[in-house]
């Protein structure tokens, strides 16, 4: 048997708005604004879900969880991530690692970083040392810098055993 490795990329962005909770990587972070969206608008979990689906060429989050469907309103995005994990498992994949970059002007995420990493690792059934998370500001430039939006980028690597070609 050979091991086949695959890597996927994911990206997400939501608007920052008053009266919304800021939930990143499944962790609620105290802040005066939160991310607006149909679900809980967790850009970290959305980008990561797309990276995992992309690695296996299984489509994207919008296809699996259409925002037009009312049942996903304010949904906990951990559901999306766990669904991606189960699709990968069904195809014989294991998750090797994931790495995430969050672009947000405020607040500082460092105090929450390890909690977010552990939360993601638990949703994926992997060790926390397989999940990387970095946060950057936009140095005040553009819509991220103006605190109008926040973005997340993710890559994930998966592997499975295959017959030699
Ligand atoms: Mg999204």
């Amino acid at each position: 048997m050979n091991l086949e490795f695959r890597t996927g990329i994911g990206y997400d962005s939501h608007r920052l708005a008053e009266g919304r909770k800021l939930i990143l990587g499944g962790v609620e972070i105290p802040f005066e604004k939160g991310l607006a969206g149909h679900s809980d608008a967790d850009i970290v979990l959305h980008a990561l879900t797309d990276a995992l689906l992309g690695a296996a060429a299984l489509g994207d989050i919008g296809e699996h969880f259409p925002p037009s469907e009312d049942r996903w309103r304010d949904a906990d995005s951990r559901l999306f991530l766990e669904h991606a994990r189960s699709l990968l498992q069904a195809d014989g994949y294991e998750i090797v690692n994931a790495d995430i970059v969050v672009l947000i002007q405020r607040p500082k995420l460092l105090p929450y970083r390890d909690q977010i990493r552990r939360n993601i690792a638990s949703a994926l059934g992997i060790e926390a040392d397989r999940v990387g998370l970095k946060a950057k500001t936009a140095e005040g430039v553009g819509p991220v810098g103006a605190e109008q939006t926040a973005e997340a980028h993710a890559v994930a690597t998966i592997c499975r055993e295959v017959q030699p070609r």
Side-chain angles (χ1 to χ4, degrees):
M1 289 292 240
N2 288 349
L3 273 181
E4 174 188 67
F5 286 85
R6 291 165 163 239
T7 295
I9 183 170
Y11 165 81
D12 197 30
S13 163
H14 281 263
R15 206 163 41 81
L16 277 165
E18 290 182 7
R20 291 278 300 183
K21 288 178 182 171
L22 180 61
I23 297 173
L24 294 173
V27 174
E28 188 176 335
I29 294 167
F31 190 53
E32 66 220 42
K33 290 194 264 189
L35 291 164
H38 188 69
S39 65
D40 64 9
D42 188 331
I43 50 173
V44 171
L45 298 193
H46 293 184
L48 179 56
T49 300
D50 264 355
L52 290 165
L53 292 172
L58 287 171
D60 65 40
I61 195 170
E63 222 175 300
H64 292 276
F65 304 98
S68 54
E69 286 184 20
D70 215 46
R71 60 187 167 137
W72 307 124
R73 182 181 300 281
D74 293 325
D76 179 345
S77 295
R78 186 171 166 128
L79 282 177
F80 306 158
L81 189 62
E82 287 174 347
H83 182 68
R85 175 193 177 189
S86 67
L87 291 175
L88 294 180
Q89 265 174 345
D91 277 356
Y93 290 108
E94 285 183 27
I95 297 163
V96 177
N97 78 306
D99 194 19
I100 301 150
V101 181
V102 183
L103 285 132
I104 190 163
Q105 188 63 34
R106 276 193 314 146
K108 288 271 173 245
L109 298 189
L110 188 59
Y112 307 97
R113 183 188 63 190
D114 292 342
Q115 191 186 347
I116 293 171
R117 290 176 53 234
R118 283 196 301 270
N119 194 45
I120 290 170
S122 116
L124 294 179
I126 60 177
E127 302 88 347
D129 70 358
R130 294 175 184 268
V131 180
L133 181 83
K134 283 108 44 203
K136 325 232 357 142
T137 75
E139 301 202 342
V141 176
V144 171
E147 299 183 6
Q148 293 166 345
T149 183
E151 300 178 7
H153 302 255
V155 290
T157 296
I158 59 176
C159 78
R160 67 175 172 183
E161 287 188 340
V162 290
Q163 295 293 343
R165 298 191 183 189

